[in-house]
Amino acid sequence: MHAEALSRRHFSTAEFEAMVAAGIFRSDEHIELLEGEVVMSPPQGPEHAGCTTVMVELLREAYGPGHVIREAKLLVVDGESLPEPDLLVLSGGPRDWMVRHPRAGEARLVVEASWTSQPVDRAKAAIYAKGGVAVYWHLDLAARRLYAHTKPHGDGRYELVH
């Protein structure tokens, strides 16, 4: 069978959350809903884990009190995307986010670090821009390069990419 002949089933965020709650996915699987598709990410290697740990400390120092840094926690973007960014900076404190997941427009900064998942993390820029994430950083660990995206547009692009 040719790939063109295959149909894909897109899921809403509500359907995805119901599948997670029903235990359809293993607890050790790192999964996200991106534009209606369930995407699995590879496990983090030591470079990725070490880098994000260091970044947490740097971001805490840079943003200071009144901000919370969340690691690999769900972010509500729209009815088709529930990514789990590596790092997420939000105003407020940890207790402010106990009754609901933050929405994309509430994020002060979203960070994705990638060693092998660069294509997925590059594609997430469009998802984050559509959702209104003000600042998105994609840290390409293999290339040792940080791409900073600012000024999001609803059409899925950032006006500035440095």
Side-chain angles (χ1 to χ4, degrees):
M1 181 178 282
H2 296 287
E4 307 82 57
L6 297 177
S7 295
R8 293 182 182 212
R9 164 68 157 85
H10 285 261
F11 298 97
S12 70
T13 56
E15 290 171 319
F16 179 74
E17 289 181 307
M19 290 188 293
V20 170
I24 290 174
F25 305 106
R26 291 191 328 255
S27 61
D28 64 338
E29 291 180 307
H30 182 80
I31 55 169
E32 301 174 286
L33 184 69
L34 303 177
E35 296 181 317
E37 294 190 10
V38 177
V39 176
M40 297 180 69
S41 299
Q44 291 184 8
E47 302 91 351
H48 185 282
C51 176
T52 55
T53 300
V54 168
M55 288 184 71
V56 166
E57 296 306 315
L58 294 171
L59 291 172
R60 276 199 182 111
E61 186 177 314
Y63 281 89
H67 294 88
V68 62
I69 314 299
R70 290 173 53 126
E71 294 183 70
K73 302 288 188 270
L74 203 129
L75 178 66
V76 178
V77 174
D78 57 26
E80 292 188 323
S81 295
L82 292 171
E84 288 189 9
D86 289 313
L87 299 173
L88 174 61
V89 179
L90 299 160
S91 294
R95 288 185 174 85
D96 296 334
W97 306 104
M98 291 180 70
V99 296
R100 69 173 177 85
H101 294 295
R103 294 185 240 333
E106 296 171 316
R108 298 285 310 269
L109 171 67
V110 168
V111 180
E112 296 281 5
S114 56
W115 188 257
T116 60
S117 62
Q118 291 90 344
V120 172
D121 289 340
R122 278 193 295 270
K124 283 183 183 178
I127 293 169
Y128 292 137
K130 286 179 193 173
V133 170
V135 181
Y136 168 53
W137 287 357
H138 171 214
L139 180 58
D140 183 337
L141 297 170
R144 298 179 116 37
R145 178 147 186 203
L146 174 68
Y147 298 92
H149 302 74
T150 58
K151 297 192 177 182
H153 290 269
D155 63 1
R157 65 181 175 85
Y158 281 94
E159 188 172 321
L160 299 175
V161 180
H162 308 283

